[in-house]
Amino acid sequence: MKKGLCFTKEQLAKLHWTDGLSRSEIAEMYGVTGAAITYWCQRLGVEHRSRVHHFIFQPSPVFSYVLGVYYSDGCFQRHPAKRFRVSVTDKVFAESVRRALIILGMAPSMTLIHKL
């Protein structure tokens, strides 16, 4: 572990939950291993998103963003396997929606389909 590495619970929670960064992305930012970030999360009681078994539907800018996309964009489709599909051509926009869903506690996946 990098000497002098220290976090507050609020700092880690903001990076992981509010900013939507994974533990490995946080580790890369600080030049340490993912295990070091996992250690600090466990020590400070910052829960990992994959262990949350409920969605966080509280008024927030992220939730408002997802609702805005859902209700105004018109490209969401209900998938038979109880999933939603977003059909967009802008990869940056798709990644933005995916990150927002992760912050809300969902586990979205993204598949790029190239049309001929």
Side-chain angles (χ1 to χ4, degrees):
M1 185 181 316
K2 194 173 191 176
K3 205 157 186 74
L5 186 65
C6 187
F7 294 99
T8 65
K9 182 175 184 171
E10 292 76 22
Q11 287 172 321
L12 274 180
K14 180 186 180 305
L15 289 169
H16 190 57
W17 285 95
T18 307
D19 298 343
L21 299 175
S22 68
R23 289 182 177 181
S24 52
E25 289 171 323
I26 297 168
E28 191 175 304
M29 279 176 51
Y30 287 93
V32 297
T33 65
I37 300 303
T38 298
Y39 164 81
W40 279 102
C41 286
Q42 288 173 347
R43 181 175 176 186
L44 298 172
V46 177
E47 190 152 5
H48 193 277
R49 287 189 304 260
S50 67
R51 291 196 175 95
V52 175
H53 299 288
H54 63 280
F55 299 131
I56 303 170
F57 290 130
Q58 299 172 355
S60 71
V62 173
F63 186 55
S64 298
Y65 174 68
V66 170
L67 283 178
V69 170
Y70 180 78
Y71 283 109
S72 68
D73 200 304
C75 62
F76 269 85
Q77 302 168 351
R78 182 136 165 77
H79 191 272
K82 296 186 178 180
R83 293 180 287 163
F84 288 96
R85 170 188 273 161
V86 183
S87 302
V88 296
T89 56
D90 186 348
K91 183 179 176 182
V92 174
F93 173 69
E95 182 60 33
S96 173
V97 173
R98 187 184 76 80
R99 267 206 193 271
L101 292 171
I102 288 170
I103 290 171
L104 293 175
M106 297 180 190
S109 63
M110 187 165 73
T111 304
L112 297 176
I113 300 171
H114 300 284
K115 299 220 177 195
L116 298 175

